[in-house]
């Protein structure tokens, strides 16, 4: 059901006329995901600017049996922010208040619409840092990153978004506001709602603000780009770096095809004179110069065919670009199927070796691009050349990952993209518990229908 004229008027009364968008040309960008693979439709986008307005919108929609699709920066890669027919889009980008840093506790409170880059900048202005970082930082929001439990480049050092959450404010699907932003580090007083809402992909509540833990600001940083002629040696090097290098802050794995694409797409020179099949980017950071420690560990690694080490900021950025530009470069080839899986560390080399064959067998001619946060066992499998609706290739890759003891989503979430394969990673008892929680916090199922849990339980493969 599309929003009626009367419902639109009531939304206008809540947020102001200019924040209820109904022009199809304006709404179009809210209805397509970053990859272009998931395209939805909606008649209305509503843009609240306060928690009270969000609560009024949720209560109104509950009364009127209208569903809401929640959206932050719309950089999600699982289609979860794309509206199914009949849903209103509730864009949280106007919730942009951000507190000063509490320098004593190392915390700040940010509204759901604050970008990750703005959290980082606010933290740094007070001599702290935010432990979460990923390349969509300029658009991705606090609300979206909490909803997806975003990971990124520093998980091996600081953990995922859930690990940064001290408190949360949210509007549940009932319309009730739950707010616990006091910032106590220790607070064992019942169920930990921040943990529950984090990673719930907007299916239980609308995150309106988060109290975030900050980490010490590290002023010294060294990056090493290492080339390997053998993928297994590159994977083994990650374990060695993790055990021997206390200052390790990132370990990213990528491959010759991806680097060649990045170089072609952005006019970069190849990182090394000779070609190599696999690359590992490791970063060490601290408050004292980590160069000596990093160099000693690099010297001890087996199988390093070439290496470039950088301490100065511009050269470090050049080396990072070979990794960080992968997602944008792949987008230039076509609409990608994005499958962000995790496998146990010991299975990563086997997974990487097997996945192109599995893709080709299920969709001949499709192309596989791999890169990942190697320290977390997280491989991003990108497939281009497969039609957006072709799902056999997704299923084949997800089954390969779970067959090796892995998970169908490391950090992007289930969204709409993987909902039919949830049972590959979760047991019937776990899914039944998910449904019970959903019924308790969103009894009428008005928040993000079809995301994470299929609306039709029979749809689970
Ligand atoms: C170039 C690129 C690189 C990326 N790299 C990484 C990476 O390294 N690691 C990683 O984890 N992700 C990565 N992502 C994915 C994405 O940026 C993250 O998932 C991010 O956290 C999404 O934030 P967003 O504000 O854009 O959320 P959206 O895309 O708007 O929404 C994502 C999900 O959260 C829900 N949601 C949004 N806001 C709220 C809210 N306030 N309350 C409740 N639910 C809400 C939506 O309904 C949807 O289900 C990358 C994306 C791109 C494009």
């Amino acid at each position: 059901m599309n929003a009626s004229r009367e419902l639109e008027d009531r939304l206008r009364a809540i947020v102001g006329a200019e924040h209820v968008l109904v022009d199809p040309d304006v709404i179009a960008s809210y209805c397509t995901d970053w990859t272009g693979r998931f395209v939805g439709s909606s008649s209305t986008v509503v843009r609240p600017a306060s928690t009270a307005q969000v609560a009024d919108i949720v209560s109104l929609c509950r009364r009127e049996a209208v569903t809401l699709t929640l959206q932050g920066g719309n950089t999600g890669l699982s289609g979860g922010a794309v509206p199914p027919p009949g849903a209103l889009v509730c864009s949280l980008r106007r919730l942009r208040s951000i507190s000063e840093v509490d320098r004593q506790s190392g915390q700040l409170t940010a509204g759901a619409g604050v970008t990750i880059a703005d959290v980082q900048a606010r933290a740094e202005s007070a001599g702290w840092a935010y432990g979460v970082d990923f390349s969509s930082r300029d658009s991705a929001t606090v609300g979206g990153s909490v909803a997806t439990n975003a990971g990124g480049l520093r998980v091996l050092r600081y953990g995922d978004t859930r690990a940064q959450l001290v408190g949360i404010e949210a509007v549940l699907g009932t319309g009730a506001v739950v707010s616990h932003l006091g910032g106590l580090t220790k607070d064992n007083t019942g169920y930990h709602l921040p943990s529950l809402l984090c990673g719930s992909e907007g299916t239980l509540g609308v995150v309106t603000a988060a109290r975030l833990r900050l980490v010490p600001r590290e002023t010294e940083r060294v990056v090493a780009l290492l080339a390997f002629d053998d993928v297994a040696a590159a994977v083994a090097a990650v374990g060695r770096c993790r055990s021997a290098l206390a200052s390790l802050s990132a370990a990213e794995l990528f491959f010759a095809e991806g680097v060649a694409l990045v170089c072609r797409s952005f006019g970069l020179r190849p990182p090394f004179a000779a070609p190599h099949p696999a690359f590992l980017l490791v970063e060490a950071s601290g408050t004292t110069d980590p160069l000596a420690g990093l160099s000693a560990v690099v010297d001890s690694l087996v199988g390093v065919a070439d290496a470039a080490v950088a301490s100065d900021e511009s050269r470090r950025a050049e080396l990072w670009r070979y990794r960080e530009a992968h997602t944008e470069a792949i987008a230039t080839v076509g609409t990608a199927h994005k499958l962000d899986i995790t496998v146990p560390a010991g299975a990563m080399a086997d997974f990487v070796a097997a996945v192109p064959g599995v893709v080709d067998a299920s969709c001949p001619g499709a192309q596989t691009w791999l890169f990942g946060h190697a320290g977390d066992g997280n491989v991003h499998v990108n497939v281009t050349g497969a039609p957006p609706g072709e799902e056999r290739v997704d299923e084949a890759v997800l089954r390969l990952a779970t067959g090796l003891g892995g998970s169908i989503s490391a950090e992007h979430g289930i969204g709409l993209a993987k909902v039919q394969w949830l049972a590959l990673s979760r047991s019937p008892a776990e899914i039944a518990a998910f449904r019970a929680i959903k019924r308790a916090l969103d009894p009428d199922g008005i928040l993000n229908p079809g995301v994470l849990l299929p609306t039709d339980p029979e749809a689970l493969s």
Side-chain angles (χ1 to χ4, degrees), residues 237-306:
V238 178
R240 165 85 186 134
C241 290
R242 293 191 69 191
S243 67
L245 193 58
S247 56
L248 183 69
S249 52
E252 299 289 310
L253 184 67
F254 42 102
F255 302 94
E257 300 76 13
V259 169
L261 177 65
V262 165
C263 291
R264 270 202 310 282
S265 305
F266 302 110
L268 307 184
R269 286 218 311 264
F272 300 108
H276 301 282
F279 299 90
L280 185 64
L281 183 147
V282 289
E283 183 181 88
S285 57
T287 49
T288 57
D289 189 354
L291 179 60
L294 178 67
S295 302
V297 171
V298 168
D299 287 346
S300 74
L301 297 177
V302 176
V304 178
D306 210 340

Side-chain angles (χ1 to χ4, degrees), residues 167-323:
I168 206 166
E169 181 180 83
V171 178
L172 303 179
T174 56
V177 177
V178 288
S179 185
H180 205 71
L181 297 170
L184 295 177
T185 303
K186 290 183 147 184
D187 188 7
N188 280 353
T189 50
Y191 301 136
H192 195 244
L193 293 179
S195 298
L196 177 62
L197 290 169
C198 186
S200 66
E201 300 187 51
T203 58
L204 304 178
V206 188
V207 177
T208 53
R211 182 78 178 168
L212 300 171
R213 172 180 296 119
L214 305 178
V215 299
R217 183 166 175 228
E218 298 181 317
T219 47
E220 310 295 321
R221 227 166 258 284
V222 183
V223 172
L225 181 60
L226 311 175
F228 290 83
D229 289 329
D230 171 23
V231 174
V235 170
V238 178
R240 165 85 186 134
C241 290
R242 293 191 69 191
S243 67
L245 193 58
S247 56
L248 183 69
S249 52
E252 299 289 310
L253 184 67
F254 42 102
F255 302 94
E257 300 76 13
V259 169
L261 177 65
V262 165
C263 291
R264 270 202 310 282
S265 305
F266 302 110
L268 307 184
R269 286 218 311 264
F272 300 108
H276 301 282
F279 299 90
L280 185 64
L281 183 147
V282 289
E283 183 181 88
S285 57
T287 49
T288 57
D289 189 354
L291 179 60
L294 178 67
S295 302
V297 171
V298 168
D299 287 346
S300 74
L301 297 177
V302 176
V304 178
D306 210 340
V309 178
S311 290
D312 69 286
E313 193 173 348
S314 67
R315 180 65 181 138
R316 285 197 324 254
E318 279 174 24
L319 295 183
W320 262 112
R321 188 127 171 83
Y322 292 114
R323 159 63 185 89

Side-chain angles (χ1 to χ4, degrees), residues 34 69-77 80-81 92 112 133-136 139-141 143-145 147-153 201-202 205-208 323 327-328 373 380 411-412 448 451:
W34 190 90
T69 290
L70 311 178
Q71 195 176 94
N74 200 13
T75 67
L77 297 175
L92 285 312
D133 190 28
F134 44 89
S135 57
S136 52
S139 304
T141 62
S145 67
T148 57
N149 186 25
L153 306 167
E201 300 187 51
V206 188
V207 177
T208 53
R323 159 63 185 89
T327 304
E328 286 166 75
H373 310 301
H380 291 308
E411 58 180 15
H412 294 164
N448 278 4
V451 170

Side-chain angles (χ1 to χ4, degrees), residues 29-30 32-35 70-77 81-82 89-94 96 112-116 134 136-148:
S29 67
Y30 292 86
T32 304
D33 79 328
W34 190 90
T35 66
L70 311 178
Q71 195 176 94
N74 200 13
T75 67
L77 297 175
V82 171
V89 176
C90 180
S91 167
L92 285 312
R93 277 182 239 172
R94 290 180 68 226
R96 289 191 57 83
V114 175
T115 64
I116 300 304
F134 44 89
S136 52
R137 59 183 79 79
D138 291 325
S139 304
T141 62
V142 166
S145 67
V146 170
T148 57

